[in-house]
Amino acid sequence: MLKDVHWLPIKYRVILKISLLVFKVLHGQAPLYLIQVKPEESYHLRNKDQLLIPRTKCKMFGDSTFFASGPVLWNSLPENIRQMTNIQKFKKEHNIFI
């Protein structure tokens, strides 16, 4: 039934919404204080992750906050999806990735 109305299952809808909010933060459409961006380094050897994953004090609840889960989801996306600047294309490609 969900396919007929083009809805994602709840788990994937949550992933899409979190990724979309990170996209908006990085493109100036949401407040920057929601995430931490890595400072530019002179070289990138193996780690191309763009966002810092903060350490949380409470593992049970801290890791499920947007501040911690947003960067984890964003860094797990393929590079071509992270480089997109158009929000509509991002949504379409992200749905294919899920």
Side-chain angles (χ1 to χ4, degrees):
M1 182 173 150
L2 291 175
K3 269 189 167 181
D4 294 336
V5 292
H6 302 286
W7 285 358
L8 290 172
I10 293 173
K11 176 183 175 182
Y12 298 117
R13 194 174 334 151
V14 169
I15 291 171
L16 176 64
K17 293 292 184 182
I18 291 172
S19 300
L20 191 58
L21 184 56
V22 173
F23 178 88
K24 288 180 178 181
V25 169
L26 292 175
H27 291 89
Q29 299 171 356
L32 189 59
Y33 65 81
L34 293 174
I35 57 173
Q36 294 179 342
V37 180
K38 271 189 179 178
E40 286 295 321
E41 298 176 11
S42 58
Y43 58 90
H44 301 283
L45 295 177
R46 292 184 184 142
N47 192 358
K48 292 188 178 187
D49 293 342
Q50 186 177 4
L51 303 179
L52 288 174
I53 300 170
R55 297 182 76 159
T56 56
K57 292 180 183 176
C58 182
K59 291 295 174 190
M60 186 172 209
F61 298 109
D63 289 343
S64 63
T65 62
F66 174 76
F67 190 67
S69 64
V72 170
L73 285 172
W74 184 261
N75 291 340
S76 69
L77 290 174
E79 187 71 24
N80 64 329
I81 294 177
R82 286 191 279 171
Q83 296 298 324
M84 291 185 174
T85 56
N86 185 332
I87 197 165
Q88 297 303 325
K89 287 183 182 179
F90 177 79
K91 287 180 186 178
K92 184 178 178 182
E93 290 296 321
H94 193 281
N95 283 338
I96 293 170
F97 175 68
I98 293 175

